[in-house]
Amino acid sequence: MHTTLQTLWQETLDTDSVRQRLFQVLRQSIIQMVLAPGQALSEKELADTFSVSRQPVREAFIRLSEAGLVEVKPQRGTYVVRISQRAVLEARFVREAVEVAVVKLAAEKGIEPAMLTELHDLLERQRRCVKPHDYDRFYRLDEAFHRTLSLGVKQHAAWKVIEEVRAQLDRVRYLSVPHSTPLERLVEQHANIVAAIEARDASLAEQAMALHLREILVSMPDLVRRFPDLFEVQENQTLLQEAIQ
């Protein structure tokens, strides 16, 4: 099914406030390229689309600006920002530091059987996404996998940090799955992480997670070449070379 603003709105919880639902929809629409980098956003058009007043739209723009996803230009309008390679690399660095520590803790202390069962269930559901190329479903399962790891070792704050830094990173992750990174590779990497945790091998778990989170360093150069209009024009491959080194 082709993703639209309306379909994303339908996926939000109607028990949440209009402000929260609107922010979630606009954030996800930017991540999924429903609203493209460089695109101008109209308060009035969006308010009309969702049958809401302009105030919650204005508030969503402020939150999206704080997340680095839109730029509000006085007297000129609001625009979806292009993807910043530097911001992506900085977010990846933070995410690796946090999630490597999470899996190290999981391997050293172990996690509850129920959580392990949930991880294996997520792996199986991810495998079922491969042949039908169900990228949207895989993306949601991938997020659930990483969230389950953090919550499995009772590190709720760790997951909150990841959520706060991943906005720019998520756009490249979403772009890379259909265009650059095979689903089979990501599922295998997830399976290796779980196997290392079950073996109580902290060193192997750290290595497996680091390798997984560095996958974006492999895919991003290809994505920049294929979709140059989606990325900030002043940035170049030197950033990636420095990150890999």
Side-chain angles (χ1 to χ4, degrees):
M1 181 178 65
H2 180 63
T3 302
T4 65
L5 291 174
Q6 286 77 11
T7 58
L8 289 171
W9 178 264
Q10 292 167 6
E11 291 175 1
T12 60
L13 297 174
D14 57 13
T15 53
D16 287 340
S17 67
V18 169
R19 290 176 174 79
Q20 182 61 22
R21 293 179 72 189
L22 192 57
F23 170 72
Q24 290 174 345
V25 168
L26 293 179
R27 183 186 186 282
Q28 197 62 26
S29 67
I30 292 172
I31 290 170
Q32 295 185 212
M33 309 292 174
V34 176
L35 297 175
Q39 182 174 340
L41 302 179
S42 164
E43 275 186 21
K44 183 181 185 305
E45 288 179 5
L46 288 170
D48 291 343
T49 296
F50 299 109
S51 300
V52 300
S53 69
R54 296 176 66 165
Q55 182 60 31
V57 178
R58 191 173 301 119
E59 292 175 3
F61 283 177
I62 293 171
R63 291 181 65 185
L64 291 167
S65 175
E66 292 170 348
L69 292 175
V70 306
E71 181 179 6
V72 181
K73 299 181 179 180
Q75 311 304 319
R76 294 178 60 187
T78 300
Y79 299 84
V80 178
V81 301
R82 287 182 166 79
I83 300 170
S84 164
Q85 294 177 67
R86 185 177 298 280
V88 170
L89 295 174
E90 290 177 354
R92 192 216 62 81
F93 178 86
V94 172
R95 184 165 189 180
E96 180 179 326
V98 173
E99 294 212 60
V100 165
V102 164
V103 294
K104 179 176 185 287
L105 182 62
E108 288 178 342
K109 296 190 174 182
I111 59 178
E112 296 177 358
M115 283 294 189
L116 267 180
T117 299
E118 185 173 347
L119 288 172
H120 280 290
D121 177 63
L122 288 167
L123 284 173
E124 182 55 36
R125 291 160 65 190
Q126 288 172 15
R127 292 187 182 100
R128 292 200 292 267
C129 293
V130 173
K131 287 191 177 180
H133 305 294
D134 193 342
Y135 302 116
D136 285 348
R137 184 164 181 263
F138 179 85
Y139 178 86
R140 291 192 292 269
L141 292 170
D142 175 74
E143 181 177 334
F145 178 86
H146 288 272
R147 181 177 63 248
T148 300
L149 282 172
S150 291
L151 302 187
V153 291
K154 298 178 174 57
Q155 294 300 319
H156 296 257
W159 181 247
K160 185 176 180 181
V161 168
I162 293 166
E163 285 192 306
E164 288 175 352
V165 303
R166 73 183 201 196
Q168 287 269 27
L169 180 61
D170 277 356
R171 290 206 285 177
V172 177
R173 288 176 57 237
Y174 198 89
L175 191 63
S176 71
V177 170
H179 296 294
S180 184
T181 307
L183 291 183
E184 296 93 333
R185 184 187 303 165
L186 298 175
V187 175
E188 180 182 4
Q189 290 172 353
H190 284 169
N192 290 339
I193 292 168
V194 174
I197 291 172
E198 288 185 298
R200 305 295 291 270
D201 190 329
S203 178
L204 188 59
E206 289 179 292
Q207 292 173 28
M209 179 60 80
L211 177 66
H212 176 57
L213 295 179
R214 290 174 187 175
E215 188 67 39
I216 201 166
L217 300 178
V218 177
S219 64
M220 194 153 69
D222 177 58
L223 296 172
V224 172
R225 285 191 297 269
R226 294 176 64 182
F227 307 102
D229 292 344
L230 302 182
F231 292 82
E232 289 188 0
V233 294
Q234 72 269 28
E235 297 181 328
N236 55 49
Q237 298 303 311
T238 303
L239 288 171
L240 287 172
Q241 292 169 0
E242 290 174 352
I244 294 171
Q245 292 171 357

